[in-house]
Amino acid sequence: MLAAQALKRVFMSTIEPSRKRGFRLGQLVYDTRYRSKSIQVIAAIVILVSFWWLGSNIVGNLAALGKDFNLAFLGAPAGYDINQTLIPYDNRMSHGRAAVVGILNTLLVSFLGCIAATVIGILVGVLRLSDNWVINRLAAVYVEAFRSIPLLLWIVSIFAILSEAMPQPRDFRGDDATASMQLFDSVAVTARGVYVPRVAFTNSLSGNEAVIPRENLAAVASGSADWAIIVATIAVGLVVSLGIKAFVDRKQIMTGQRPVTWYWLAAVLILPVLVALYVLGATVVQPYLKGFNFTDGIFIRKSLFALWLALSLYTGAFIAEIVRGGIQSVGKGQREAAAALGLQSNRIMQLVILPQALRVIIPPLISNYLSLAKNSSLALAVGYMDVRATLGGITINQTGRELEGMLLLGLFYLFLSLLISGIINLYNRSKQLKER
Amino acid sequence: MKINTTRILLAAAMTAFTTTMASATTLEDVRAAGQLKCGIHEGLAGFAAPDANGKWQGLDVDICRAVASSVFGNSEAVEYIPVTGATRFSALASGEIDMLARTTTWTFSRDTDLKTEFVGVNFYDGQGFMVPASLGISSALELDGTTVCVNTGTTTELNLAEYFRANGMSYEPVPLETGAEAQQQFLSGSCDVFTGDASGLAANRATFPNPDEYVVLPEIISKEPLGPAVRHGDSEWEDIVRWSLNALITAEELGVTSENVEELASSVNKNAEINRLLGTEGDLGAMLGVEADWAKTIIMSVGNYGEVFERHVGVNTPIGLERGVNALWTQGGLLYSPPFR
């Protein structure tokens, strides 16, 4: 380092006089001090001109077709229905609202997909390193099968399998029913999706009118107020349990003894939630067959399920390889040294291998989360109403605003990607080596 | 700085070039390409579907062939471009296709806001519902609480929403991008109901393994005038497509068929409109900017409207549709062509 600095000083002093002789145009190309700047300026101009050219081309061609650029269509009534709505929506509401419903559906499947893909990826990544030949071969087959076949094929085939293999609601009907509900008649797995029980409250705070879901049951209601209380109880429990952990850590450092705390944690985390549920009068409402279909309970549509499963399995295969690579990147000596200290193998993984492997794993993981979020736009293949299907599909088709719709869609995906990478980068920073 | 100037000049030149490209007329483009790029359905029996030899056949396909006959005197000079319900208008607007004949409903907003120009109606349709006979439903008003398969990006989707809302019924839509997927979901039982244009439902039903197990409900919930469309702003091209369609209808009205057209064209007929249609009198072809015997070529290659209808969707086909409102106005239907004068 010192030698290099000394050299640089010598070099600078030799070229110093040339600057005093004044500036010549040729220096922009031949002088290393200016060359990089002039290249950057030229590049910037070229990029700006290309953008200007693209923009004027769009405006010119739109004018030639007699179309304008106008976002007013977002306020017009959408006129179409959406099956899965996380916020209230009906067909008299605006295209903008329909787009938001689609955005929430995209976020839902992306979020669920990222979680499942991570779980699958870590599990399979570790299994691929297993000493058991059968297990590591099985994991390898899974990885190769899923990452070698296009995602769209997986989505469509999972959807088709669910359509053909599962019973229809009508098969549950009558005395000679060919299908029956699972788990004490609480879950119905049908070719249209899975119906699971929902939780409602007899003493609901939501202000919604309580309704009797079925004969012989108490009137129930549920609303955001009820769930806010439960989530708040859990949050308080988590904060207190973190406090307990800090206290125990301190005690371990001071005395070398780690007190047994699982019953404290149970008391703090579980008991308050149970009390809250009891006070609110939580009741399980089961789905049941009525008319053409099952009703009540929570309906997890086949389209959501197929899309989620395909996205998770597909991305999980890539994550498995990243996890395997990350673990293998930690030197063998680390494991041996930890073993020599007498640590058990799961503690070695937890305390020595994973913290080092995570630094390698997280950056490529971000790319995979981004792919998953963007791949969720294949949803239309199975009729899942994500933002590509609402704003980018039906709305564009009904209003003819392709350019505006596609630009908005592009902006949404850009924002979503930046958000995901931002969040994970924060986590990444906390896992990086900290130089002090 | 020299480089930058060159770049800007280059960019300016390219912009100018693209603008020139866009100003050629559709007719010139079609003639230059040597064939008509016609947007059709990606597969709907009776309207546009490949036959056993891989050749596209159907009511809409014959409109494409009629237009190609007018322009080139050759009904085979067509490149068929299957477009989905969702991509058809962009395909037309971008010039990917020269005309659209894909069971497309003529609506106010499509005509005005989407900048498409409908030249007429080649099939009067209406939206209906199909259900499995085993459900025991006889009216669309009994469909409350059903799951409905619908082709997304169509007027069907909007009519469906309006009909159920107007009748205070709820339903679960299953939107699917192509008719084939919708059909598969319906057949597997994932939807109770399949909705679409009544003719399309009949066409689909004809291709089912057991057509008798499905019924089309009597209610028709919408007006669906299906017609060929062209881009807004090129009236010359619009006229060619419009009068190619009208020639089919007028030919049926005047009793000109693919069998007698040769004979009628070789002699002078008492009915002067036949002479004008077939180009033996007057110069209608020149007014349209095509050959004098343009309509004769159309009728020789595809027949008149009645022949086209009977060949693809009529009672003797598996689809088995009656003429109904698609009969000529002289026979109590709605088909009516302005006179050839």
Side-chain angles (χ1 to χ4, degrees), chain B residues 247-262:
Chain B
L248 292 174
I249 297 170
T250 305
E252 189 188 4
E253 193 179 330
L254 298 176
V256 183
T257 67
S258 56
E259 276 149 26
N260 66 15
V261 62
E262 199 79 64

Side-chain angles (χ1 to χ4, degrees), chain A residues 89-403:
Chain A
Y89 169 83
D90 72 58
N91 61 47
R92 301 317 303 159
M93 291 182 180
S94 67
H95 281 295
R97 180 89 171 185
V100 173
V101 171
I103 285 174
L104 290 174
N105 285 345
T106 295
L107 294 179
L108 175 72
V109 76
S110 306
F111 179 71
L112 294 177
C114 283
I115 291 175
T118 311
V119 171
I120 294 171
I122 291 176
L123 198 69
V124 177
V126 171
L127 290 183
R128 269 205 87 170
L129 295 171
S130 162
D131 294 331
N132 185 321
W133 188 84
V134 176
I135 289 179
N136 71 43
R137 284 301 90 193
L138 277 179
V141 166
Y142 158 76
V143 167
E144 295 305 338
F146 273 88
R147 67 175 186 175
S148 311
I149 295 176
L151 174 58
L152 186 60
L153 287 184
W154 284 116
I155 297 178
V156 172
S157 31
I158 290 176
F159 188 69
I161 291 169
L162 291 175
S163 307
E164 300 296 339
M166 297 297 159
Q168 294 297 340
R170 60 169 177 262
D171 299 331
F172 289 79
R173 198 190 311 273
D175 298 328
D176 53 348
T178 52
S180 59
M181 294 172 74
Q182 323 281 316
L183 294 174
F184 310 106
D185 276 0
S186 64
V187 175
V189 182
T190 76
R192 293 175 187 184
V194 180
Y195 296 81
V196 294
R198 69 182 171 105
V199 174
F201 307 95
T202 47
N203 305 325
S204 174
L205 302 170
S206 63
N208 296 345
E209 194 188 343
V211 253
I212 299 172
R214 290 171 82 163
E215 284 173 46
N216 309 326
L217 285 180
V220 290
S222 88
S224 44
D226 307 317
W227 293 106
I229 287 182
I230 291 167
V231 170
T233 321
I234 294 173
V236 170
L238 281 175
V239 169
V240 175
S241 70
L242 283 179
I244 294 176
K245 182 175 180 295
F247 167 74
V248 171
D249 284 350
R250 218 167 37 240
K251 192 143 191 170
Q252 186 180 17
I253 289 165
M254 274 157 44
T255 66
Q257 299 284 319
R258 193 174 179 87
V260 181
T261 56
W262 66 265
Y263 46 87
W264 295 4
L265 290 176
V268 170
L269 282 174
I270 299 171
L271 213 57
V273 178
L274 288 179
V275 170
L277 286 173
Y278 180 77
V279 171
L280 288 167
T283 322
V284 174
V285 181
Q286 297 188 348
Y288 62 99
L289 199 56
K290 182 187 164 196
F292 294 99
N293 232 324
F294 280 91
T295 181
D296 224 323
I298 299 169
F299 179 26
I300 303 162
R301 283 174 182 76
K302 177 177 58 176
S303 51
L304 168 63
F305 190 77
L307 183 67
W308 166 76
L309 195 63
L311 282 174
S312 315
L313 288 173
Y314 182 79
T315 316
F318 290 89
I319 295 180
E321 284 299 275
I322 294 170
V323 169
R324 180 173 72 109
I327 292 175
Q328 283 180 333
S329 75
V330 179
K332 204 166 80 176
Q334 295 281 324
R335 180 184 293 270
E336 289 168 354
L341 287 175
L343 283 175
Q344 292 164 345
S345 65
N346 60 338
R347 301 287 281 171
I348 295 177
M349 185 55 94
Q350 205 179 329
L351 296 172
V352 179
I353 310 290
L354 270 186
Q356 299 183 71
L358 275 178
R359 289 179 200 126
V360 180
I361 292 173
I362 294 171
L365 202 59
I366 300 176
S367 311
N368 277 285
Y369 286 156
L370 297 186
S371 317
L372 190 145
K374 287 179 293 177
N375 285 341
S376 72
S377 60
L378 291 169
L380 195 55
V382 289
Y384 181 74
M385 299 298 275
D386 72 334
V387 66
R388 159 76 183 80
T390 59
L391 174 68
I394 307 176
T395 293
I396 284 186
N397 208 266
Q398 307 294 3
T399 59
R401 299 279 172 190
E402 297 96 353
L403 184 69

